[in-house]
Amino acid sequence: MQKKHTPLLILGSGPAGYTAAIYTARSLITPVLISGMQPGGQLTQTTDIENFPGFPEKISGTELMDRMRQQAENLGTIIIDQSAVNVDLSQRPFTITLDNEEIYTCDALIVATGASAKWLDLPNEDNLRGFGVSACATCDGFFYRNKKVAVIGGGNTAAEEALYLANLASEVFLIHRRNELRCEKVMQEKIKAHPKIKMIWNSVVQNYIGDKNNGGLTGLILKNTLTEEESQLSVDGCFVAVGYTPNTELFRGQLELTPEGFIITDKTSLKTSVEGVFAAGDVQELFYRQAVTAAAGGCRAALEAEKFLSEIKK
Ligand code: NAP
């Protein structure tokens, strides 16, 4: 298949990718953005967003991402709803192969591929995924109307999932391995005040009970982290919210990564270990991982990519 060339290619369609597109499109570069498997990224799986500046009445994750996409398109970004399946960064122009076998080359690349939900990696987790075990309350919560569900984790995601599910389920058990939540204080207060949410502290899931061919999940085996005591909890659904892992498989061996797989960048310029490749958003963010910080990173990577493109033209 014939290769198509673009000066700048952006991988990813979360706030970092779209912001990078908005900035570079305004500098008349006409970026090509490959949206990936989940256009809009992780925010399309959250509910209401209260902390993205400019939306005093809050905004849904999907709407925020739709607006960013529209803005990027209005300014001239070419958006392709495909995933990259191969990337060759060994020489410039870089080569990116998509899952429809189209091949792009580019002089500069912004990696904004984000992160994906982590699982507990328990023996029957794969068997029960989609049959009672989920990592997305907004996608699957509907199936648990007036049923009992558990949420695993203590961060902002777990808190949001628990609050969302509490509107649907009869009872929500929030199971955390310590005795203090990691999520923001305002979320902690909402959790504490909600009559349907019950905290189970100092506990981890040892295993899931149930079989996908026989009604799916029926309960959890829990272990108290202080006493090591085991117990069973009957639930119809379990939502895993124990953090995220960066989507960097394509770059292994090509870009410098941390042991956890995050892309290592210069903290000011977001340059990676390969000249002409920049990374922004959750794929390189170890601490903040917010929509607004990802968007800010997309802006920085865009400005640096523009500078790089004008320097190699000279
Ligand atoms: P997170 O902040 O990394 O929290 C993960 C939680 O899961 C922690 O409470 C952790 O326990 C627990 N955990 C990790 N591995 C576990 C395991 N194997 N078994 C049991 N529990 C485990 O992840 P997140 O909540 O997904 O949030 C990710 C980032 O996105 C954060 O920076 C967060 O602030 C941001 N975020 C923001 C918003 C918002 O602002 N509205 C919404 C969602 C996410 P410990 O606490 O003991 O480590």
Side-chain angles (χ1 to χ4, degrees):
M1 191 176 275
Q2 213 195 342
K3 292 180 185 174
K4 293 180 185 167
H5 185 76
T6 174
L8 176 73
L9 193 129
I10 299 165
L11 290 176
S13 57
Y18 283 146
T19 305
I22 289 164
Y23 271 77
T24 46
R26 290 190 76 244
S27 72
L28 306 180
I29 287 176
T30 313
V32 170
L33 182 147
I34 311 298
S35 71
M37 272 198 309
Q38 188 183 56
Q42 292 170 68
L43 283 180
T44 58
Q45 306 221 329
T46 63
T47 47
D48 292 334
I49 297 171
E50 289 180 341
N51 55 7
F52 198 88
F55 298 96
E57 311 301 338
K58 70 193 173 186
I59 182 165
S60 82
T62 314
E63 192 186 345
L64 180 62
M65 298 323 294
D66 285 348
R67 287 187 184 213
M68 285 192 199
R69 180 181 174 119
Q70 196 60 60
Q71 193 173 353
E73 272 178 332
N74 290 351
L75 291 165
T77 307
I78 298 165
I79 299 183
I80 299 177
D81 285 321
Q82 293 287 325
S83 297
V85 291
N86 193 56
V87 168
D88 180 0
L89 306 180
S90 61
Q91 55 178 6
R92 245 190 4 254
F94 308 121
T95 306
I96 286 89
T97 309
L98 307 187
D99 53 7
N100 64 358
E101 296 181 6
E102 264 188 305
I103 298 173
Y104 275 87
T105 58
C106 59
D107 303 312
L109 177 70
I110 296 178
V111 180
T113 48
S116 302
K118 274 190 197 162
W119 294 90
L120 295 177
D121 292 331
L122 295 172
N124 54 354
E125 191 161 57
D126 279 349
N127 175 280
L128 287 165
R129 267 167 68 172
F131 295 87
V133 176
S134 168
C136 177
T138 46
C139 316
D140 301 327
F142 175 78
F143 300 112
Y144 300 93
R145 205 170 275 277
N146 300 320
K147 295 190 172 174
K148 281 203 265 185
V149 296
V151 176
I152 318 300
N156 277 330
T157 305
E160 278 187 354
E161 302 261 285
L163 288 163
Y164 178 79
L165 288 162
N167 288 327
L168 300 162
S170 58
E171 215 171 350
V172 178
F173 299 96
L174 181 52
I175 300 169
H176 186 35
R177 63 184 178 183
R178 295 185 292 129
N179 65 354
E180 189 189 2
L181 291 171
R182 176 184 291 278
C183 65
E184 292 166 5
K185 292 277 177 286
V186 58
M187 303 286 266
Q188 295 187 19
E189 292 307 316
K190 285 184 189 174
I191 296 277
K192 225 196 289 176
H194 204 294
K196 281 199 204 164
I197 301 177
K198 188 169 172 232
M199 284 304 312
I200 301 185
W201 298 111
N202 300 312
S203 296
V204 290
V205 179
Q206 283 284 87
N207 217 338
Y208 301 107
I209 306 168
D211 186 330
K212 76 169 179 188
N213 298 316
N214 197 9
L217 184 81
T218 56
L220 303 172
I221 298 176
L222 303 181
K223 187 172 92 176
N224 186 296
T225 51
L226 303 178
T227 63
E228 307 251 307
E229 230 172 84
E230 281 193 5
S231 61
Q232 286 197 10
L233 178 72
S234 291
V235 285
D236 305 290
C238 177
F239 291 82
V240 179
V242 295
Y244 288 87
T245 187
N247 298 324
T248 49
E249 269 314 302
L250 285 177
F251 311 103
R252 219 164 264 284
Q254 305 199 66
L255 294 177
E256 264 181 43
L257 306 179
T258 68
E260 297 77 28
F262 290 91
I263 296 175
I264 297 174
T265 55
D266 175 90
K267 285 302 162 212
T268 307
S269 65
L270 300 183
K271 287 176 183 168
T272 69
S273 54
V274 172
E275 201 183 16
V277 180
F278 306 84
D282 283 6
V283 76
Q284 57 82 58
E285 177 60 71
L286 297 183
F287 302 106
Y288 300 109
R289 289 191 238 158
Q290 302 293 306
V292 73
T293 52
C299 160
R300 277 198 285 161
L303 297 178
E304 288 294 332
E306 277 169 43
K307 200 156 74 177
F308 173 78
L309 288 170
S310 66
E311 274 164 13
I312 60 169
K313 246 205 238 161
K314 280 180 195 160

